Amino acid sequence: MTKSRLWLGACFMAGMLFFTSCSDNDKVSFPDGTSGDIPAQVMEAFNAQFPGASNVVWTTKAGYAVADFYWEGTRSADVSRNHTAWFALESGLLGMTERDIRFSELPEQVKSAFYASEYGQAPWVADDEVDVLTRNDASEVLYVIDVEKKEGGIETDVDLYYTSEGILVKEVIDADDNKDYQEYLPQTPSNTVESWLKENYPDARIIDLDNEDGGTEVEFISGNLKHEAFFNRAQAWVYTKTEYKFRNIDEVKDIPSQVIVALKSTSAYLEGTHVEEAEKYETEVSGTFYCFELEGRFDDDTKIYISHDGTVLQGRPNLGGNDSENTGTVVGDIEQFIQENYPGAVIIERDYDDGYLEVDIRHEGKEKELLFNGRNEWVRTSWDISIRELPSAVTAALSAEGYRIDDDEAEVVETVDSFWYEVEVQRSGEEFKVFIDASGSIFQVLKD
């Protein structure tokens, strides 16, 4: 789920102008099997950077000349590896390389972080081949590990993006097999944003930078943590979000004790949930607060917001700007899907969650959550309704089975080929979640 990217200024337009204005003496023809022309300075830079490269095939894309080739210059002693290199058409500068390594060649910090995560355990299996993205003269490196699992006859594939320190910065479920990593080309922030980063996070390394209609979103690494800063159209800072990874919430030293105490006093926490994620928000209009995502007994997620002084908040505070997080722009085909299937919907939040792009919308008076995979394909939509809104066939079927509804709300879920309700119930003192369709047919029951 990518948006328009900011990369190397106006490189694309400059590259297009270069094609039409330079003389024949400034170009050389593509090798056999390709078409078009590339500047001589690109060929010179390529030959200097990758002497002895073989099986070279050139294409052009987004203001870059892109070379796919084999090269033994930095390989291990076994076999030559496949490489891709992106050279800016205007300047001839190398923007990014992508190459393959064996899983065993990963830095130890990356391997340790991977094995400590859920993806390092069965039933997940890692591919032996890892993609390595190198940007900005080798100062920024991302390792992309492909893992997959098969459960219940369903295969799931996830791309995991790690920094050299072992920080997991992104998960993408069912990504396009032909991904070219174009969105990870070096990106240059505005002078205002760059100055803000240098002042507040001197060691910041930009991982991703997106231009949106509502402003600019920058993802970066600082202090071995992933941060996300949002700036409005005037490039003024609006908020910063910091993500924490942990095994036990008490291990997070940066979260004040009064916040942890308040979290543990909430009914959701006391009902046996565990903290799956924690984030800190620093905002211009609402100060500092924390968001905790709790996973319940039926894998239900609940978000708890707590202010810096330990006050439990009712819903997410105002972030400032246009009062929306990661909103305003989603990739075109996703926005089209939303407008066609949920006419009049307003996007209120957009974020990545467990490998999916999660888009929250307000539609027909309800907040609905849509999930899209790495191919921008819609996966499911879910939203809460009151028990009074359940179809009579559903309540009758539950009653006939001796179930008593145990909550004030139920969840509606729709997918490409299914539509059902998830209802928490009790029977004989035991708790269950029942999955039931609109006709009253129960197709799954989970016991607490």
Side-chain angles (χ1 to χ4, degrees):
M1 263 52 70
T2 59
K3 297 168 288 186
S4 60
R5 306 283 173 173
L6 181 65
W7 37 261
L8 296 181
C11 193
F12 175 76
M13 290 304 298
M16 293 301 292
L17 292 172
F18 187 92
F19 270 113
T20 59
S21 62
C22 58
S23 68
D24 289 342
N25 292 332
D26 295 325
K27 305 179 186 178
V28 295
S29 296
F30 278 87
D32 292 340
T34 60
S35 60
D37 296 310
I38 53 174
Q41 61 185 357
V42 170
M43 289 297 298
E44 292 170 0
F46 173 77
N47 291 329
Q49 187 77 29
F50 304 102
S54 61
N55 299 93
V56 184
V57 176
W58 287 94
T59 55
T60 57
K61 189 180 301 183
Y64 285 85
V66 185
D68 290 293
F69 57 99
Y70 285 89
W71 188 53
E72 299 186 4
T74 59
R75 70 175 178 86
S76 300
D78 51 359
V79 294
S80 60
R81 302 291 171 79
N82 187 43
H83 284 65
T84 300
W86 295 66
F87 290 87
L89 284 166
E90 181 184 16
S91 63
L93 294 176
L94 176 63
M96 179 177 71
T97 61
E98 183 264 313
R99 62 190 178 94
D100 303 331
I101 65 170
R102 302 296 185 196
F103 184 91
S104 59
E105 296 174 305
L106 281 168
E108 289 304 318
Q109 287 179 290
V110 176
K111 285 192 285 188
S112 295
F114 171 75
Y115 284 125
S117 73
E118 63 171 305
Y119 298 108
Q121 320 299 320
W124 292 102
V125 177
D127 195 308
D128 184 52
E129 192 173 87
V130 175
D131 291 341
V132 183
L133 310 182
T134 304
R135 309 180 298 174
N136 291 343
D137 297 325
S139 63
E140 296 177 11
V141 181
L142 290 175
Y143 298 88
V144 186
I145 304 174
D146 182 20
V147 296
E148 60 181 26
K149 70 175 180 180
K150 186 172 184 179
E151 288 184 317
I154 299 176
E155 292 186 2
T156 304
D157 183 271
V158 183
D159 287 344
L160 307 174
Y161 291 72
Y162 282 93
T163 67
S164 300
E165 306 97 323
I167 300 173
L168 179 60
V169 295
K170 193 172 185 179
E171 306 162 66
V172 180
I173 288 181
D174 295 333
D176 191 335
D177 292 335
N178 297 318
K179 56 184 176 293
D180 61 10
Y181 301 111
Q182 178 179 327
E183 64 268 33
Y184 290 97
L185 285 164
Q187 300 140 79
T188 303
S190 67
N191 291 336
T192 302
V193 172
E194 187 173 22
S195 296
W196 183 91
L197 286 170
K198 287 181 178 179
E199 179 180 351
N200 294 277
Y201 298 90
D203 63 337
R205 303 196 324 273
I206 294 177
I207 298 298
D208 198 6
L209 189 152
D210 300 326
N211 269 335
E212 303 178 343
D213 287 346
T216 301
E217 174 189 290
V218 185
E219 293 182 7
F220 59 96
I221 299 297
S222 175
N224 286 333
L225 292 172
K226 179 187 174 184
H227 308 266
E228 176 186 299
F230 186 79
F231 301 82
N232 63 21
R233 292 178 181 176
Q235 298 295 277
W237 173 75
V238 177
Y239 71 82
T240 303
K241 179 173 70 174
T242 300
E243 298 181 6
Y244 300 107
K245 298 295 183 182
F246 50 85
R247 291 179 179 271
N248 186 318
I249 188 62
D250 294 310
E251 297 174 354
V252 184
K253 306 301 182 184
D254 192 39
I255 299 180
S257 58
Q258 66 268 19
V259 174
I260 299 297
V261 170
L263 169 67
K264 292 182 177 180
S265 70
T266 62
S267 58
Y269 188 91
L270 294 172
E271 288 173 358
T273 60
H274 71 274
V275 182
E276 187 173 33
E277 293 182 0
E279 299 167 334
K280 177 173 72 173
Y281 286 82
E282 299 168 279
T283 74
E284 181 72 26
V285 299
S286 299
T288 300
F289 64 90
Y290 298 82
C291 173
F292 300 93
E293 186 170 311
L294 280 61
E295 186 173 290
R297 59 188 185 277
F298 296 116
D299 292 333
D300 297 327
D301 291 336
T302 301
K303 289 185 177 180
I304 304 294
Y305 296 92
I306 302 175
S307 68
H308 188 75
D309 64 7
T311 302
V312 178
L313 306 171
Q314 299 300 313
R316 190 194 70 189
N318 190 326
L319 294 176
N322 59 2
D323 191 23
S324 61
E325 177 189 5
N326 301 331
T327 67
T329 301
V330 291
V331 70
D333 48 355
I334 291 179
E335 185 171 10
Q336 181 179 348
F337 173 89
I338 292 173
Q339 294 306 322
E340 289 179 354
N341 292 274
Y342 306 94
V346 175
I347 298 174
I348 58 176
E349 186 169 348
R350 185 199 65 82
D351 204 356
Y352 281 93
D353 186 26
D354 293 332
Y356 290 103
L357 175 65
E358 176 185 313
V359 181
D360 292 340
I361 64 173
R362 186 174 292 109
H363 177 245
E364 296 180 344
K366 295 188 179 296
E367 291 192 6
K368 302 181 179 181
E369 175 188 284
L370 285 68
L371 299 182
F372 297 86
N373 65 19
R375 297 188 181 94
N376 296 349
E377 298 167 339
W378 174 66
V379 176
R380 61 176 273 169
T381 299
S382 60
W383 66 95
D384 292 333
I385 61 172
S386 71
I387 297 304
R388 295 186 300 275
E389 296 176 272
L390 285 171
S392 57
V394 171
T395 56
L398 293 173
S399 179
E401 292 293 327
Y403 292 119
R404 178 175 62 84
I405 296 177
D406 191 34
D407 204 345
D408 293 332
E409 292 184 328
E411 187 172 25
V412 183
V413 179
E414 61 177 340
T415 66
V416 175
D417 53 10
S418 303
F419 185 98
W420 71 86
Y421 300 88
E422 299 180 7
V423 189
E424 294 187 15
V425 299
Q426 284 192 4
R427 185 175 66 183
S428 302
E430 295 183 305
E431 296 180 333
F432 304 87
K433 173 176 275 192
V434 175
F435 297 74
I436 183 171
D437 66 22
S439 69
S441 295
I442 297 174
F443 60 89
Q444 186 177 12
V445 178
L446 295 179
K447 183 179 178 181
D448 183 10

